[in-house]
Amino acid sequence: IKYTVKQMDVVEQNTKGSGRRAERYYQIVSLPPRDMSKENVLIIGGKNVVELFIAWVYGFKWENIVGIDLFSLHPKIKIMDMEKMSFEDKTFDNVTMANVYGYQLDPEKCIAEISRILRPGGKLCFNSVWSEDSVLPVYNIRVNEMIAIFKKHNFEIIYHTYKNTPPDVSHMWSLQKMNMSELSLDPIL
């Protein structure tokens, strides 16, 4: 099934109808296998309660699942911007963004904010798209630029894969938040 998405009559993009599947994000974030009921998760851009249910199916306790979006169709999804979240520092063990990375305006600000709210050792799983023809600036950021942003904000890449389907390249990322405060360097070096 193909359809055309229009956003504010400016951006038009052909897409396929089954691309918003979130299961793979929870499959990845739950590796290595562990008791997910002891961890919490922030779902950025969940839009409706379905993605929250998917997180629950993958082992998160219902009370440990939080969703945010620019609009809400369920009381468990808070209205909040991913570039300026009202959560305390080091609040979450996991953050997922299923097909919403392209909606932010400033990639570095978004990653910095996620780094702020993730605990050391916490995981972020999301996808990004690179498209040479896109009018959206976030889709023009190359992999090396993304990696530089991740390193600047203390993330380690633990999984990366991509699909090269012209005209776009879709990347799946899983990152772990490193605790740089525990890093000590020998002053002699």
Side-chain angles (χ1 to χ4, degrees):
I1 300 172
K2 278 195 164 190
Y3 60 93
T4 299
V5 176
K6 285 188 178 181
Q7 186 176 10
M8 298 187 302
D9 296 326
V10 176
V11 178
E12 186 173 310
Q13 180 180 352
N14 288 325
T15 187
K16 292 185 179 177
S18 62
R20 185 142 169 79
R21 303 283 308 234
E23 290 89 343
R24 61 186 168 176
Y25 300 89
Y26 301 98
Q27 290 168 351
I28 293 169
V29 84
S30 64
L31 293 174
R34 60 196 186 280
D35 183 0
M36 301 306 290
S37 69
K38 297 178 181 178
E39 298 182 21
N40 62 13
V41 62
L42 172 63
I43 299 168
I44 298 176
K47 295 190 185 16
N48 59 48
V49 75
V50 173
E51 195 169 332
L52 281 67
F53 284 135
I54 293 169
W56 176 72
V57 166
Y58 275 88
F60 290 99
K61 281 187 179 176
W62 187 247
E63 57 270 14
N64 293 343
I65 300 170
V66 177
I68 67 166
D69 207 326
L70 294 177
F71 65 93
S72 177
L73 300 173
H74 190 273
K76 197 153 176 69
I77 301 171
K78 301 172 187 316
I79 297 174
M80 199 177 303
D81 185 342
M82 69 179 120
E83 293 179 9
K84 188 174 177 167
M85 294 184 263
S86 61
F87 301 113
E88 297 289 325
D89 294 358
K90 302 177 184 175
T91 301
F92 293 97
D93 300 301
N94 302 279
V95 175
T96 62
M97 297 175 19
N99 301 310
V100 297
Y101 180 75
Y103 293 103
Q104 45 85 19
L105 300 174
D106 184 338
E108 183 158 354
K109 189 173 183 181
C110 178
I111 297 298
E113 189 65 358
I114 292 169
S115 177
R116 180 186 69 76
I117 61 148
L118 259 180
R119 294 182 179 128
K123 292 189 173 135
L124 164 63
C125 189
F126 74 103
N127 70 307
S128 65
V129 173
W130 182 82
S131 176
E132 189 172 47
D133 302 326
S134 179
V135 295
L136 299 173
V138 72
Y139 289 154
N140 297 131
I141 297 175
R142 296 184 178 274
V143 170
N144 289 341
E145 294 172 275
M146 295 277 292
I147 291 170
I149 292 170
F150 300 152
K151 286 182 180 180
K152 181 177 181 182
H153 296 286
N154 302 323
F155 280 105
E156 171 187 28
I157 300 168
I158 54 177
Y159 175 78
H160 172 251
T161 187
Y162 69 93
K163 277 193 219 177
N164 191 357
T165 52
D168 304 333
V169 180
S170 178
H171 296 267
M172 173 75 87
W173 302 91
S174 181
L175 310 173
Q176 185 166 349
K177 174 78 192 274
M178 300 182 308
N179 188 357
M180 299 306 278
S181 64
E182 293 179 3
L183 185 67
S184 66
L185 298 174
D186 187 335
I188 296 171
L189 299 176

